[in-house]
Amino acid sequence: GDSVTQMEGPVTLSEEACLTINCTYTATGYPSLFWYVQYPGEGLQLLLKATKADDKGSNKGFEATYRKETTSFHLEKGSVQVSDSAVYFCALERDYKLSFGAGTTVTVRA
Amino acid sequence: DTGVSQDPRHKITKRGQNVTFRCDPISEHNRLYWYRQTLGQGPEFLTYFQNEAQLEKSRLLSDRFSAERPKGSFSTLEIQRTEQGDSAMYLCASSLAGQGRETQYFGPGTRLLVL
C-alpha cells in the first residue's frame, strides 16, 4: 500500500540556517504530495502541495519539488526563523485519503 | 472565512464510557474526513463522507466507532465502550469536491484521554 517515510527528528537549528527535511514515498501512479505543518498548540495547516511530477510547491519561503524518479518530495527553506519551529508532516493523497509520515519536529533557536 | 471547527477540544473519560465528538466543516465543503493521531505519529485515515454518504471506512474503525453526517453538514464520531487504546487526537478535515486534486483543511482536533 501507499506509505510515506520522512526524516526522523528532532531537528534543532539556529536562526538563518538552512533546513531540509527529507521525504520519500511508495505509491503506484501519481499521487498528489503535500507538506502540512503543526505549530505548537494549533491544528494541521497546509504548507504547500504538488500534484504532478516536476511540480514545485512553495509557500512562506519553503519549497518542495515532486521528483517521480526518486519518489521524493523534500522540504527546503534557505533561512529559518524562530517562528518556523513546528512539526512538519509529509503526506500523499490517493482516492481522497491522505497518508502521512510520522512527522519531523523542528526547533529554531535565536 | 470560518475554518473547520471541532467540539470538544479535550475529553477525559473512563474506560467503558461512550463519547461523541462533533465536527463542523467549512460551509461550502461537501467532503468531510476523520483521522486519528497518536503521540509521535502522523494522522491515520478513519473514514470520509461525501455529502451525507459515508463512502469509505478504514479497518482501523472498529465496530465500536460510528460516524454520521445526517444532513451533509456537520458530522459526529461516536466511540462506544471506550478503551485506553482509544486515547488519541481525533482530527476532522473538509474539502470541496469537483475541483481536481482538492485540498483537505483540518480542524484543531479533539484530544481524548481514556482513563
Side-chain angles (χ1 to χ4, degrees), chain A residues 25 33 53-55 65-74:
Chain A
Y25 67 91
L33 300 175
D54 300 325
D55 263 3
T65 301
Y66 190 140
R67 300 288 188 198
K68 179 65 177 174
E69 63 277 11
T70 54
T71 62
S72 65
F73 193 56
H74 305 321

Side-chain angles (χ1 to χ4, degrees), chain B:
Chain B
D1 181 24
T2 304
V4 178
S5 61
Q6 293 186 245
D7 183 69
R9 295 290 304 275
H10 304 273
K11 179 71 177 178
I12 300 174
T13 191
K14 293 182 179 179
R15 190 176 51 189
Q17 297 295 305
N18 299 344
V19 294
T20 300
F21 309 141
R22 177 179 170 125
C23 171
D24 287 88
I26 293 172
S27 59
E28 68 270 23
H29 284 186
N30 51 7
R31 286 209 177 109
L32 187 148
Y33 311 79
W34 286 98
Y35 292 82
R36 181 171 66 189
Q37 184 179 16
T38 53
L39 202 60
Q41 299 299 316
E44 295 174 294
F45 170 81
L46 293 179
T47 188
Y48 90 95
F49 294 82
Q50 177 151 334
N51 300 313
E52 66 276 11
Q54 188 172 16
L55 296 186
E56 187 165 346
K57 293 193 291 186
S58 163
R59 62 182 182 277
L60 294 175
L61 212 64
S62 77
D63 56 8
R64 296 185 297 105
F65 287 70
S66 62
E68 294 182 343
R69 195 182 182 200
K71 297 183 180 179
S73 56
F74 73 92
S75 175
T76 58
L77 177 68
E78 181 183 17
I79 309 174
Q80 295 182 326
R81 306 181 303 281
T82 53
E83 300 174 356
Q84 288 184 328
D86 297 332
S87 296
M89 176 77 85
Y90 289 84
L91 298 169
C92 177
S94 70
S95 69
L96 182 60
Q99 299 202 339
R101 305 288 186 107
E102 66 259 20
T103 297
Q104 294 182 28
Y105 295 90
F106 283 80
T110 294
R111 185 172 295 282
L112 173 66
L113 177 62
V114 181
L115 301 176

Side-chain angles (χ1 to χ4, degrees), chain A residues 30 32 36 49 96-98, chain B residues 33 48 56 101 103-104:
Chain A
Y30 295 88
S32 293
Y36 280 84
K49 69 176 184 180
Y96 317 119
K97 299 182 295 290
L98 290 169
Chain B
Y33 311 79
Y48 90 95
E56 187 165 346
R101 305 288 186 107
T103 297
Q104 294 182 28

